[in-house]
PDB file of all heavy atoms in Angstrom:
ATOM      1  N   ASP A   4     -65.920 136.125  87.470  1.00 63.00           N
ATOM      2  CA  ASP A   4     -67.066 135.874  88.340  1.00 63.00           C
ATOM      3  C   ASP A   4     -66.649 135.134  89.613  1.00 63.00           C
ATOM      4  O   ASP A   4     -67.158 135.415  90.704  1.00 63.00           O
ATOM      5  CB  ASP A   4     -68.122 135.066  87.591  1.00 63.00           C
ATOM      6  CG  ASP A   4     -68.762 135.865  86.464  1.00 63.00           C
ATOM      7  OD1 ASP A   4     -68.720 137.110  86.538  1.00 63.00           O
ATOM      8  OD2 ASP A   4     -69.284 135.246  85.524  1.00 63.00           O
ATOM      9  N   PHE A   5     -65.739 134.183  89.475  1.00 66.00           N
ATOM     10  CA  PHE A   5     -65.275 133.422  90.639  1.00 66.00           C
ATOM     11  C   PHE A   5     -64.574 134.342  91.632  1.00 66.00           C
ATOM     12  O   PHE A   5     -64.851 134.296  92.834  1.00 66.00           O
ATOM     13  CB  PHE A   5     -64.327 132.316  90.197  1.00 66.00           C
ATOM     14  CG  PHE A   5     -63.622 131.625  91.333  1.00 66.00           C
ATOM     15  CD1 PHE A   5     -64.269 130.665  92.100  1.00 66.00           C
ATOM     16  CD2 PHE A   5     -62.302 131.940  91.643  1.00 66.00           C
ATOM     17  CE1 PHE A   5     -63.630 130.035  93.158  1.00 66.00           C
ATOM     18  CE2 PHE A   5     -61.651 131.312  92.705  1.00 66.00           C
ATOM     19  CZ  PHE A   5     -62.325 130.358  93.455  1.00 66.00           C
ATOM     20  N   PHE A   6     -63.694 135.210  91.138  1.00 65.00           N
ATOM     21  CA  PHE A   6     -62.926 136.078  92.028  1.00 65.00           C
ATOM     22  C   PHE A   6     -63.799 137.141  92.685  1.00 65.00           C
ATOM     23  O   PHE A   6     -63.464 137.644  93.759  1.00 65.00           O
ATOM     24  CB  PHE A   6     -61.776 136.738  91.258  1.00 65.00           C
ATOM     25  CG  PHE A   6     -60.510 135.937  91.275  1.00 65.00           C
ATOM     26  CD1 PHE A   6     -60.339 134.860  90.415  1.00 65.00           C
ATOM     27  CD2 PHE A   6     -59.481 136.236  92.147  1.00 65.00           C
ATOM     28  CE1 PHE A   6     -59.180 134.112  90.432  1.00 65.00           C
ATOM     29  CE2 PHE A   6     -58.314 135.504  92.175  1.00 65.00           C
ATOM     30  CZ  PHE A   6     -58.158 134.431  91.317  1.00 65.00           C
ATOM     31  N   GLN A   7     -64.925 137.491  92.074  1.00 71.00           N
ATOM     32  CA  GLN A   7     -65.791 138.513  92.659  1.00 71.00           C
ATOM     33  C   GLN A   7     -66.419 138.061  93.977  1.00 71.00           C
ATOM     34  O   GLN A   7     -66.931 138.888  94.730  1.00 71.00           O
ATOM     35  CB  GLN A   7     -66.899 138.882  91.662  1.00 71.00           C
ATOM     36  CG  GLN A   7     -66.419 139.776  90.527  1.00 71.00           C
ATOM     37  CD  GLN A   7     -67.526 140.096  89.545  1.00 71.00           C
ATOM     38  OE1 GLN A   7     -68.403 139.273  89.297  1.00 71.00           O
ATOM     39  NE2 GLN A   7     -67.489 141.289  88.980  1.00 71.00           N
ATOM     40  N   ASN A   8     -66.360 136.768  94.248  1.00 72.00           N
ATOM     41  CA  ASN A   8     -66.942 136.248  95.481  1.00 72.00           C
ATOM     42  C   ASN A   8     -66.059 136.489  96.708  1.00 72.00           C
ATOM     43  O   ASN A   8     -66.478 136.189  97.828  1.00 72.00           O
ATOM     44  CB  ASN A   8     -67.196 134.739  95.344  1.00 72.00           C
ATOM     45  CG  ASN A   8     -68.209 134.416  94.264  1.00 72.00           C
ATOM     46  OD1 ASN A   8     -69.183 135.144  94.087  1.00 72.00           O
ATOM     47  ND2 ASN A   8     -67.987 133.329  93.526  1.00 72.00           N
ATOM     48  N   PHE A   9     -64.845 137.023  96.502  1.00 78.00           N
ATOM     49  CA  PHE A   9     -63.900 137.189  97.602  1.00 78.00           C
ATOM     50  C   PHE A   9     -63.512 138.656  97.764  1.00 78.00           C
ATOM     51  O   PHE A   9     -63.652 139.453  96.829  1.00 78.00           O
ATOM     52  CB  PHE A   9     -62.643 136.350  97.357  1.00 78.00           C
ATOM     53  CG  PHE A   9     -62.921 134.887  97.144  1.00 78.00           C
ATOM     54  CD1 PHE A   9     -62.988 134.358  95.864  1.00 78.00           C
ATOM     55  CD2 PHE A   9     -63.118 134.039  98.222  1.00 78.00           C
ATOM     56  CE1 PHE A   9     -63.248 133.013  95.662  1.00 78.00           C
ATOM     57  CE2 PHE A   9     -63.378 132.694  98.033  1.00 78.00           C
ATOM     58  CZ  PHE A   9     -63.449 132.180  96.749  1.00 78.00           C
ATOM     59  N   ASN A  10     -62.989 138.987  98.937  1.00 82.00           N
ATOM     60  CA  ASN A  10     -62.498 140.350  99.130  1.00 82.00           C
ATOM     61  C   ASN A  10     -61.145 140.496  98.435  1.00 82.00           C
ATOM     62  O   ASN A  10     -60.497 139.496  98.105  1.00 82.00           O
ATOM     63  CB  ASN A  10     -62.401 140.689 100.618  1.00 82.00           C
ATOM     64  CG  ASN A  10     -61.392 139.826 101.348  1.00 82.00           C
ATOM     65  OD1 ASN A  10     -60.195 139.834 101.045  1.00 82.00           O
ATOM     66  ND2 ASN A  10     -61.848 139.066 102.341  1.00 82.00           N
ATOM     67  N   PRO A  11     -60.696 141.737  98.188  1.00 82.00           N
ATOM     68  CA  PRO A  11     -59.470 141.947  97.412  1.00 82.00           C
ATOM     69  C   PRO A  11     -58.230 141.280  97.997  1.00 82.00           C
ATOM     70  O   PRO A  11     -57.358 140.834  97.240  1.00 82.00           O
ATOM     71  CB  PRO A  11     -59.321 143.473  97.397  1.00 82.00           C
ATOM     72  CG  PRO A  11     -60.717 143.971  97.501  1.00 82.00           C
ATOM     73  CD  PRO A  11     -61.397 143.005  98.436  1.00 82.00           C
ATOM     74  N   ILE A  12     -58.122 141.210  99.318  1.00 85.00           N
ATOM     75  CA  ILE A  12     -56.943 140.588  99.922  1.00 85.00           C
ATOM     76  C   ILE A  12     -56.919 139.097  99.617  1.00 85.00           C
ATOM     77  O   ILE A  12     -55.867 138.530  99.253  1.00 85.00           O
ATOM     78  CB  ILE A  12     -56.918 140.844 101.439  1.00 85.00           C
ATOM     79  CG1 ILE A  12     -56.776 142.349 101.711  1.00 85.00           C
ATOM     80  CG2 ILE A  12     -55.773 140.080 102.095  1.00 85.00           C
ATOM     81  CD1 ILE A  12     -56.865 142.718 103.177  1.00 85.00           C
ATOM     82  N   THR A  13     -58.081 138.445  99.727  1.00 88.00           N
ATOM     83  CA  THR A  13     -58.171 137.024  99.397  1.00 88.00           C
ATOM     84  C   THR A  13     -57.942 136.805  97.910  1.00 88.00           C
ATOM     85  O   THR A  13     -57.290 135.833  97.497  1.00 88.00           O
ATOM     86  CB  THR A  13     -59.549 136.463  99.800  1.00 88.00           C
ATOM     87  OG1 THR A  13     -59.785 136.733 101.181  1.00 88.00           O
ATOM     88  CG2 THR A  13     -59.616 134.963  99.557  1.00 88.00           C
ATOM     89  N   GLN A  14     -58.453 137.707  97.089  1.00 88.00           N
ATOM     90  CA  GLN A  14     -58.221 137.614  95.648  1.00 88.00           C
ATOM     91  C   GLN A  14     -56.729 137.659  95.331  1.00 88.00           C
ATOM     92  O   GLN A  14     -56.228 136.869  94.513  1.00 88.00           O
ATOM     93  CB  GLN A  14     -58.936 138.773  94.935  1.00 88.00           C
ATOM     94  CG  GLN A  14     -60.450 138.683  94.959  1.00 88.00           C
ATOM     95  CD  GLN A  14     -61.099 139.955  94.444  1.00 88.00           C
ATOM     96  OE1 GLN A  14     -60.435 140.978  94.236  1.00 88.00           O
ATOM     97  NE2 GLN A  14     -62.408 139.914  94.230  1.00 88.00           N
ATOM     98  N   ALA A  15     -56.019 138.589  95.964  1.00 90.00           N
ATOM     99  CA  ALA A  15     -54.579 138.708  95.734  1.00 90.00           C
ATOM    100  C   ALA A  15     -53.852 137.444  96.166  1.00 90.00           C
ATOM    101  O   ALA A  15     -52.926 136.985  95.488  1.00 90.00           O
ATOM    102  CB  ALA A  15     -54.037 139.920  96.504  1.00 90.00           C
ATOM    103  N   PHE A  16     -54.279 136.869  97.288  1.00 92.00           N
ATOM    104  CA  PHE A  16     -53.649 135.644  97.778  1.00 92.00           C
ATOM    105  C   PHE A  16     -53.833 134.496  96.794  1.00 92.00           C
ATOM    106  O   PHE A  16     -52.881 133.799  96.446  1.00 92.00           O
ATOM    107  CB  PHE A  16     -54.236 135.279  99.142  1.00 92.00           C
ATOM    108  CG  PHE A  16     -53.681 133.996  99.716  1.00 92.00           C
ATOM    109  CD1 PHE A  16     -52.388 133.950 100.214  1.00 92.00           C
ATOM    110  CD2 PHE A  16     -54.458 132.850  99.748  1.00 92.00           C
ATOM    111  CE1 PHE A  16     -51.870 132.762 100.739  1.00 92.00           C
ATOM    112  CE2 PHE A  16     -53.954 131.666 100.269  1.00 92.00           C
ATOM    113  CZ  PHE A  16     -52.659 131.624 100.764  1.00 92.00           C
ATOM    114  N   PHE A  17     -55.062 134.310  96.320  1.00 91.00           N
ATOM    115  CA  PHE A  17     -55.327 133.227  95.367  1.00 91.00           C
ATOM    116  C   PHE A  17     -54.568 133.447  94.057  1.00 91.00           C
ATOM    117  O   PHE A  17     -54.043 132.505  93.464  1.00 91.00           O
ATOM    118  CB  PHE A  17     -56.826 133.124  95.080  1.00 91.00           C
ATOM    119  CG  PHE A  17     -57.600 132.433  96.170  1.00 91.00           C
ATOM    120  CD1 PHE A  17     -58.918 132.790  96.436  1.00 91.00           C
ATOM    121  CD2 PHE A  17     -57.031 131.431  96.932  1.00 91.00           C
ATOM    122  CE1 PHE A  17     -59.635 132.162  97.437  1.00 91.00           C
ATOM    123  CE2 PHE A  17     -57.736 130.799  97.941  1.00 91.00           C
ATOM    124  CZ  PHE A  17     -59.042 131.164  98.188  1.00 91.00           C
ATOM    125  N   ALA A  18     -54.527 134.699  93.597  1.00 91.00           N
ATOM    126  CA  ALA A  18     -53.843 134.988  92.331  1.00 91.00           C
ATOM    127  C   ALA A  18     -52.353 134.674  92.425  1.00 91.00           C
ATOM    128  O   ALA A  18     -51.759 134.140  91.476  1.00 91.00           O
ATOM    129  CB  ALA A  18     -54.054 136.453  91.949  1.00 91.00           C
ATOM    130  N   THR A  19     -51.741 134.992  93.557  1.00 93.00           N
ATOM    131  CA  THR A  19     -50.309 134.735  93.697  1.00 93.00           C
ATOM    132  C   THR A  19     -50.005 133.279  94.047  1.00 93.00           C
ATOM    133  O   THR A  19     -48.865 132.843  93.911  1.00 93.00           O
ATOM    134  CB  THR A  19     -49.678 135.677  94.739  1.00 93.00           C
ATOM    135  OG1 THR A  19     -50.505 135.731  95.907  1.00 93.00           O
ATOM    136  CG2 THR A  19     -49.508 137.072  94.167  1.00 93.00           C
ATOM    137  N   LEU A  20     -51.024 132.526  94.490  1.00 93.00           N
ATOM    138  CA  LEU A  20     -50.817 131.078  94.571  1.00 93.00           C
ATOM    139  C   LEU A  20     -50.587 130.519  93.169  1.00 93.00           C
ATOM    140  O   LEU A  20     -49.791 129.588  92.981  1.00 93.00           O
ATOM    141  CB  LEU A  20     -52.032 130.399  95.215  1.00 93.00           C
ATOM    142  CG  LEU A  20     -52.209 130.559  96.722  1.00 93.00           C
ATOM    143  CD1 LEU A  20     -53.436 129.770  97.185  1.00 93.00           C
ATOM    144  CD2 LEU A  20     -50.966 130.094  97.483  1.00 93.00           C
ATOM    145  N   PHE A  21     -51.278 131.103  92.182  1.00 94.00           N
ATOM    146  CA  PHE A  21     -51.057 130.708  90.794  1.00 94.00           C
ATOM    147  C   PHE A  21     -49.645 131.063  90.333  1.00 94.00           C
ATOM    148  O   PHE A  21     -48.955 130.246  89.703  1.00 94.00           O
ATOM    149  CB  PHE A  21     -52.087 131.382  89.881  1.00 94.00           C
ATOM    150  CG  PHE A  21     -51.724 131.363  88.430  1.00 94.00           C
ATOM    151  CD1 PHE A  21     -51.809 130.195  87.686  1.00 94.00           C
ATOM    152  CD2 PHE A  21     -51.270 132.513  87.797  1.00 94.00           C
ATOM    153  CE1 PHE A  21     -51.451 130.168  86.341  1.00 94.00           C
ATOM    154  CE2 PHE A  21     -50.925 132.513  86.453  1.00 94.00           C
ATOM    155  CZ  PHE A  21     -51.012 131.329  85.726  1.00 94.00           C
ATOM    156  N   THR A  22     -49.183 132.289  90.653  1.00 93.00           N
ATOM    157  CA  THR A  22     -47.838 132.678  90.212  1.00 93.00           C
ATOM    158  C   THR A  22     -46.777 131.811  90.888  1.00 93.00           C
ATOM    159  O   THR A  22     -45.754 131.482  90.287  1.00 93.00           O
ATOM    160  CB  THR A  22     -47.573 134.170  90.515  1.00 93.00           C
ATOM    161  OG1 THR A  22     -47.607 134.404  91.929  1.00 93.00           O
ATOM    162  CG2 THR A  22     -48.612 135.047  89.836  1.00 93.00           C
ATOM    163  N   TRP A  23     -47.020 131.449  92.139  1.00 93.00           N
ATOM    164  CA  TRP A  23     -46.117 130.542  92.850  1.00 93.00           C
ATOM    165  C   TRP A  23     -46.117 129.169  92.175  1.00 93.00           C
ATOM    166  O   TRP A  23     -45.059 128.551  91.983  1.00 93.00           O
ATOM    167  CB  TRP A  23     -46.551 130.445  94.306  1.00 93.00           C
ATOM    168  CG  TRP A  23     -45.709 129.546  95.178  1.00 93.00           C
ATOM    169  CD1 TRP A  23     -44.501 128.971  94.856  1.00 93.00           C
ATOM    170  CD2 TRP A  23     -45.988 129.132  96.520  1.00 93.00           C
ATOM    171  NE1 TRP A  23     -44.030 128.225  95.918  1.00 93.00           N
ATOM    172  CE2 TRP A  23     -44.924 128.304  96.949  1.00 93.00           C
ATOM    173  CE3 TRP A  23     -47.050 129.387  97.382  1.00 93.00           C
ATOM    174  CZ2 TRP A  23     -44.889 127.723  98.210  1.00 93.00           C
ATOM    175  CZ3 TRP A  23     -47.016 128.817  98.647  1.00 93.00           C
ATOM    176  CH2 TRP A  23     -45.940 127.987  99.053  1.00 93.00           C
ATOM    177  N   ALA A  24     -47.298 128.699  91.784  1.00 94.00           N
ATOM    178  CA  ALA A  24     -47.400 127.401  91.124  1.00 94.00           C
ATOM    179  C   ALA A  24     -46.631 127.395  89.806  1.00 94.00           C
ATOM    180  O   ALA A  24     -46.030 126.377  89.425  1.00 94.00           O
ATOM    181  CB  ALA A  24     -48.864 127.042  90.891  1.00 94.00           C
TER     182      ALA A  24
END
Side-chain angles (χ1 to χ4, degrees):
D4 292 337
F5 171 78
F6 270 80
Q7 284 179 326
N8 297 323
F9 304 98
N10 64 61
I12 296 175
T13 305
Q14 291 171 350
F16 178 73
F17 282 148
T19 45
L20 286 182
F21 164 74
T22 63
W23 180 10

